[in-house]
Amino acid sequence: MNSTKPISGTGTGTPYPAASDVAKETGITSFGGVEVVDNAANPNYIGHGVGHRDPKTGAPVDAHIHIPTRGELHPEEFAATQMLEADVASNKEMLQSEFNISNPGKYHAGWYKAKSIFNGVIGRMVSSQRHLDKAAKQGRLAALELSAYQEDNGALDSSKVPFTSHSLDTPFGSYLQQTLDYAPFSDLFESINATTGTLQTRGEAHVTVVTPPEFDRVLKPAGVTIEEIDDIAKQANIQLSRLTPVCVGRFKGSLPNPKVDADKGTFLLYSLVVADEFGELLAIRKRVFELYRQRGGEGALFQPESFWPHVTIGFDRRDLFVEDGVYKGINFCYAHIHLVD
């Protein structure tokens, strides 16, 4: 690898990766809904992340490795920090240690995220290292605080759960999911089923990111393969995507337009509605959409934002989907929930 290859990305603390040599080499043109820009003077040139390089050697660096802003601008001071080791301090502990904040707040984190973006734009426009350093510090605070807030409020962690591929050559046998640990959902199922006694469970937990009908009816006919979708998900570290529980959703009633006699009558279904707070799963859907359009797919047939992340808990007859007329967003909420250890 050419050690003199330029480093792209100044790490201004935003949650999205931005321009990098490796990203360009692998065909990534946008991430998190933001165009990848490799001109540091452009106000849209933000952050670093997937595919950045070691400032000293130019070698590709895994996205799990954090390169501080100072390290990218001053390679001689570079120090990598492994963010995902099992023995590292919790986000809340790091927030307390680095910023003396013991009670993380969602809105406080959002305010500092906005300040980080503002200072980053100003810093790049006027070439002010002071503003860039401030942006990096504010962005670090915002990311740590939001993650700590999620830890305190039952955020779901799938970082130690292996990625699961679904690529059966059968109708509706291929789709993309973030696989979750089933243990907490097993307890939730038992609690809910104790009130009904009629529910079934699949015995596993996941969030569907690309649905079987989306793949079979839209993506596959355009020439997009499930292997390519899996590769996009792996490159984006789908298992590290951060989810926050919102509520327990319930559907109890009849379908608005049953297509067969078997679908007449009432159904009972429970799911955990979750929030894709950082837009990481949505970013994967947007990257799939880009590939779909590159293959000549009709844009009107795939809408990345038509996405209601949830985890099915149990159902009496069968699971229900958008195709049945059932939407599982916050409109679906039935009871508040707070997960505890």
Side-chain angles (χ1 to χ4, degrees):
M1 187 66 64
N2 184 355
S3 63
T4 64
K5 207 171 178 90
I7 306 302
S8 298
T10 55
T12 58
T14 67
Y16 301 121
S20 70
D21 304 319
V22 177
K24 290 291 187 179
E25 290 167 2
T26 55
I28 295 175
T29 59
S30 70
F31 203 97
V34 179
E35 181 184 5
V36 170
V37 177
D38 57 6
N39 177 7
N42 188 312
N44 293 324
Y45 180 58
I46 58 173
H48 66 259
V50 173
H52 52 280
R53 293 176 180 271
D54 183 321
K56 286 182 178 177
T57 67
V61 174
D62 190 274
H64 298 178
I65 302 296
H66 173 66
I67 302 176
T69 302
R70 184 80 182 170
E72 290 197 343
L73 295 179
H74 303 275
E76 71 279 3
E77 299 178 14
F78 168 68
T81 303
Q82 178 69 39
M83 302 297 291
L84 297 172
E85 292 292 340
D87 59 350
V88 300
S90 69
N91 290 307
K92 188 171 184 178
E93 290 170 336
M94 289 190 287
L95 183 68
Q96 171 70 42
S97 173
E98 294 181 33
F99 300 102
N100 197 30
I101 296 175
S102 56
N103 295 308
K106 179 178 180 181
Y107 297 107
H108 186 262
W111 170 241
Y112 270 85
K113 176 182 173 182
K115 291 173 70 173
S116 169
I117 294 173
F118 174 78
N119 277 300
V121 171
I122 295 297
R124 289 187 293 274
M125 289 179 65
V126 302
S127 299
S128 169
Q129 183 60 45
R130 182 175 66 85
H131 280 87
L132 289 174
D133 287 346
K134 182 181 289 187
K137 185 174 181 179
Q138 291 168 335
R140 169 70 172 164
L141 187 158
L144 265 182
E145 186 164 11
L146 185 54
S147 294
Y149 173 84
Q150 290 178 319
E151 287 174 354
D152 278 356
N153 290 273
L156 303 175
D157 180 9
S158 64
S159 61
K160 294 180 175 60
V161 181
F163 173 76
T164 304
S165 177
H166 294 274
S167 56
L168 296 178
D169 191 21
T170 58
F172 303 134
S174 296
Y175 52 95
L176 176 65
Q177 71 175 41
Q178 178 182 359
T179 307
L180 305 175
D181 179 12
Y182 181 60
F185 295 97
S186 175
D187 294 340
L188 187 56
F189 170 79
E190 294 298 337
S191 297
I192 293 174
N193 198 37
T195 67
T196 69
T198 62
L199 300 180
Q200 309 171 51
T201 175
R202 297 192 185 100
E204 54 86 29
H206 69 270
V207 173
T208 302
V209 181
V210 175
T211 70
E214 285 178 324
F215 180 74
D216 278 18
R217 297 172 180 171
V218 180
L219 300 172
K220 184 177 180 180
V224 177
T225 69
I226 193 63
E227 289 77 18
E228 289 173 315
I229 294 174
D230 283 351
D231 286 344
I232 289 171
K234 292 173 184 176
Q235 187 178 53
N237 291 310
I238 187 172
Q239 289 301 116
L240 302 182
S241 298
R242 291 158 287 186
L243 302 171
T244 302
V246 175
C247 67
V248 172
R250 185 186 78 168
F251 176 79
K252 184 179 182 181
S254 301
L255 299 182
N257 184 30
K259 298 179 176 61
V260 296
D261 288 343
D263 283 346
K264 293 179 180 179
T266 60
F267 287 80
L268 180 61
L269 165 74
Y270 289 89
S271 297
L272 180 70
V273 178
V274 298
D276 178 25
E277 292 253 22
F278 288 85
E280 292 154 329
L281 297 182
L282 179 58
I284 291 172
R285 286 180 57 86
K286 288 181 176 180
R287 181 68 186 98
V288 171
F289 176 73
E290 291 171 6
L291 178 60
Y292 167 68
R293 291 290 280 157
Q294 289 169 9
R295 299 287 163 81
E298 170 53 55
L301 299 181
F302 186 86
Q303 175 67 19
E305 291 80 7
S306 292
F307 176 52
W308 300 273
H310 64 276
V311 184
T312 299
I313 299 170
F315 45 84
D316 61 351
R317 295 168 60 183
R318 67 173 176 87
D319 200 357
L320 301 172
F321 309 97
V322 171
E323 291 76 17
D324 296 305
V326 176
Y327 293 82
K328 301 171 184 174
I330 57 174
N331 57 298
F332 181 50
C333 285
Y334 172 69
H336 296 293
I337 189 168
H338 178 72
L339 298 185
V340 296
D341 292 335

